[in-house]
């Protein structure tokens, strides 16, 4: 089992370690001797700030003459018009238009990109990128930097203000841009990105500098104090936060057998990318065009607000007028909203926003209403 | 802190305290830690007859939903409404906050349950 460079930090702070995609990761932290609580960590992020170790996610560098050509061939979104210092969310599809993964592409330079991929898909995507490179005789270097770097996400309404004491530039970064900062001898990539629905940053740094950088960032902050600006938060809170923000997760809302056009991320799919000047088709584009031309996928991702206190879980059936019409992909009690929320693929012909549906949990049927996502939007 | 010595423990992480023909049932610290924040508790109503090893209700957390079983068979005589009203009590103290009381009619798997020391050794907390 792999350990991230922050493993000792987790253990020291009472991290309850679990296996996640081959990595030992914290589910919650038992701070100050209290049992770990996903709900407390969730509220801490919404109210102030949380620090997540996301080093398990894959970080792959693409550099050389055909770096852009390879990524353009694999990613569903336009990348050619990205500026240096910009990040872009994209999907990577298979030939059938199913989703191999969702990724964040960082443009470091004309021919230099960093791509962050899901931990569970790292090996698969590396194979995919390398086989595409060979098949097309592309000339570039693909370097998996996952285990030589650390990545942390610092998220919450007070985070950017907190960071302003270290840098004047970072608070000025726009959403989905990044800066490369030198902190003494450490080179940090700081991006205004995240997976919680809050403002904040994600930071990538050399693994060997992790201890020093953490000391500088969190100083002598006492996490057990109720008013600590930033506290560590585990995978449990990461999942409830992204669910409230309506963000898809591979293995739930995204998968090889799930049509990319059904996942609610159409903004990341340039279906006519080949029509641009110098544009070329990407893997899966033809299949997605066919789906679109046939009127779109029959089932699409929808948000559900449940009536009672019971949560819906992945795999539960969604019923409309007593007939099966969909399946739940994620669900949890929403700590911020105070009622259970879920995401589900539902037949568009049978239900839309405002429709009442039922969820069969195997023992009883739970009432729910189709609602717009995201469930939670940070106050402006 | 170990599990109470006066209870019997099942491999499905319930504790059973037997006093005469009355059984008090709850879930262990190990179970609660694995569930994380408990958000919902549903117990079958008073008067329900339970077969030995049968399901008596469900607990839900932020993360997952889990069935609760009772090793012995009998009739539910009391449900702890305080826990139903505030499931987070289980996270605070799962041994003080019981789920139900049962009038035992069949010992069922009680004799196969573990003693506290064996249970704790097999299921270390923290």
């Amino acid at each position: 089992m792999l350990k991230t460079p922050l493993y000792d930090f987790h253990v020291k702070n009472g991290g309850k370690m679990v296996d996640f995609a081959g990595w030992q990761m914290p589910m919650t932290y038992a701070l100050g001797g209290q049992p770990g609580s996903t709900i407390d960590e969730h509220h801490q992020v919404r109210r102030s700030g949380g620090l997540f170790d996301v080093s398990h996610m894959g970080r792959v560098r693409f550099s050389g003459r055909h770096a852009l050509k390879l990524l353009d061939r694999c990613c569903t979104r336009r990348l050619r018009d990205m500026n240096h210092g910009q990040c872009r969310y994209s999907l990577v599809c298979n030939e059938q238009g199913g989703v191999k993964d969702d990724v964040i592409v960082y443009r470091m330079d004309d021919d230099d990109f960093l791509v962050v991929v899901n931990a569970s898909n790292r090996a698969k995507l590396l194979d995919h990128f390398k086989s595409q490179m060979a098949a097309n005789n592309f000339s570039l270097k693909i370097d998996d930097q996952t285990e030589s770097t650390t990545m942390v996400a610092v998220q919450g309404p007070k985070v950017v203000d907190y960071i302003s004491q270290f840098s004047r530039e970072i608070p000025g970064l726009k959403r989905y841009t990044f800066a490369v900062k030198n902190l003494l001898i450490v080179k940090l990539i700081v991006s205004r990105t995240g997976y919680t629905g809050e403002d904040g940053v994600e930071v990538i740094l050399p693994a060997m500098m992790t201890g020093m950088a953490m000391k500088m960032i969190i100083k002598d902050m006492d996490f057990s104090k109720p008013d600590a600006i930033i506290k560590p938060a585990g995978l449990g809170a990461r999942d409830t936060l992204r669910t409230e923000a309506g963000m898809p997760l591979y293995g739930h809302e995204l998968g090889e057998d799930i049509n990319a056009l059904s996942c609610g991320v159409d903004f990341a799919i340039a279906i006519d990318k080949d029509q641009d000047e110098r544009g070329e088709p990407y893997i899966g584009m033809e299949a997605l065009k066919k789906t679109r031309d046939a009127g779109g996928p029959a089932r699409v991702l929808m948000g559900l607000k449940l009536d009672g206190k019971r949560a819906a879980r992945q795999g539960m059936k969604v019923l409309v007028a007593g007939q099966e019409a969909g399946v739940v992909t994620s669900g949890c009690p929403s700590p911020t909203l105070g009622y259970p929320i879920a995401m589900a693929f539902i037949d568009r012909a049978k239900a839309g926003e405002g429709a009442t549906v039922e969820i069969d949990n195997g023992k009883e049927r739970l009432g729910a209403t189709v609602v717009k996502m995201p469930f939670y939007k940070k106050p402006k | 802190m170990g599990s109470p010595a006066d209870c019997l423990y099942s491999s499905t992480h319930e504790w059973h305290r037997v006093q005469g023909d009355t059984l008090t049932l709850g879930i262990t610290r190990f179970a609660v830690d694995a569930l994380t924040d408990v958000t919902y508790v549903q117990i079958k109503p008073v008067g329900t007859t339970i077969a030995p090893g049968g399901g008596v209700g469900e607990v839900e957390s932020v993360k997952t939903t889990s069935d609760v079983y009772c090793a012995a068979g009998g009739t539910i005589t009391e449900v702890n409404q305080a826990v139903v009203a505030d499931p987070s009590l289980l996270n605070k103290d799962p041994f003080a906050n019981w789920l139900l009381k049962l009038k035992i009619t069949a010992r069922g798997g009680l004799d196969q349950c573990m003693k506290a020391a064996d249970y704790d050794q097999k299921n270390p907390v923290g």
Side-chain angles (χ1 to χ4, degrees), chain A residues 179-205:
Chain A
V180 180
K181 300 292 297 174
N182 292 301
L183 194 65
L184 296 180
I185 55 164
V186 189
K187 210 167 221 181
L188 307 171
I189 300 171
V190 184
S191 58
R192 195 115 179 217
T193 52
Y195 193 50
T196 58
E198 292 300 330
D199 195 4
V201 295
E202 293 179 294
V203 185
I204 300 170
L205 65 151

Side-chain angles (χ1 to χ4, degrees), chain A residues 37-38 240 310-311 313 363, chain B residues 37 42 58 60-61 64 67:
Chain A
S37 163
T38 290
T240 52
R310 302 207 68 167
R313 308 289 181 185
K363 287 178 179 143
Chain B
D37 312 70
Q42 186 178 64
E58 289 172 89
E60 283 193 10
S61 71
T64 189
D67 287 307

Side-chain angles (χ1 to χ4, degrees), chain A residues 16 18 27-28 35-40 236 240 309-313 316 331-333 335 361 363-364 366, chain B residues 29-30 33-34 36-40 42 57-65 67 84-85 87 91-92 126:
Chain A
K16 181 179 166 59
V18 297
M27 180 55 70
T28 55
S37 163
T38 290
I39 292 175
D40 289 352
T240 52
K309 278 187 174 175
R310 302 207 68 167
R313 308 289 181 185
M316 289 179 183
C332 66
N361 74 0
K363 287 178 179 143
E364 60 185 297
L366 313 173
Chain B
R29 168 56 70 191
F30 180 87
D33 283 1
T36 69
D37 312 70
V38 182
T39 54
Y40 182 81
Q42 186 178 64
E58 289 172 89
V59 285
E60 283 193 10
S61 71
V62 171
K63 224 167 63 177
T64 189
T65 301
D67 287 307
V84 174
N91 293 95
K92 292 187 185 105

Side-chain angles (χ1 to χ4, degrees), chain A residues 30-81:
Chain A
L31 297 170
Q34 295 297 308
S37 163
T38 290
I39 292 175
D40 289 352
E41 290 169 17
H42 181 112
H43 289 317
Q44 168 73 21
V45 174
R46 288 269 181 261
R47 191 175 55 222
S48 181
L51 184 145
F52 301 83
D53 181 6
V54 290
S55 304
H56 61 305
M57 299 195 72
R59 288 169 294 286
V60 187
R61 195 85 174 237
F62 298 77
S63 51
R65 195 154 64 93
H66 293 136
L68 175 61
K69 258 181 126 51
L70 174 71
L71 289 173
D72 236 353
R73 173 148 183 76
C74 295
C75 293
T76 58
R77 197 150 184 202
R78 283 184 183 83
L79 304 177
R80 202 164 281 280
D81 59 341

Side-chain angles (χ1 to χ4, degrees), chain A residues 298-299 302 320-321 323-326 346-352 355-357:
Chain A
R299 284 186 177 185
M302 297 187 195
V320 175
Q323 299 293 308
E324 186 178 345
I346 302 176
D347 288 340
R348 272 187 306 148
K350 295 187 182 153
T356 53
V357 302

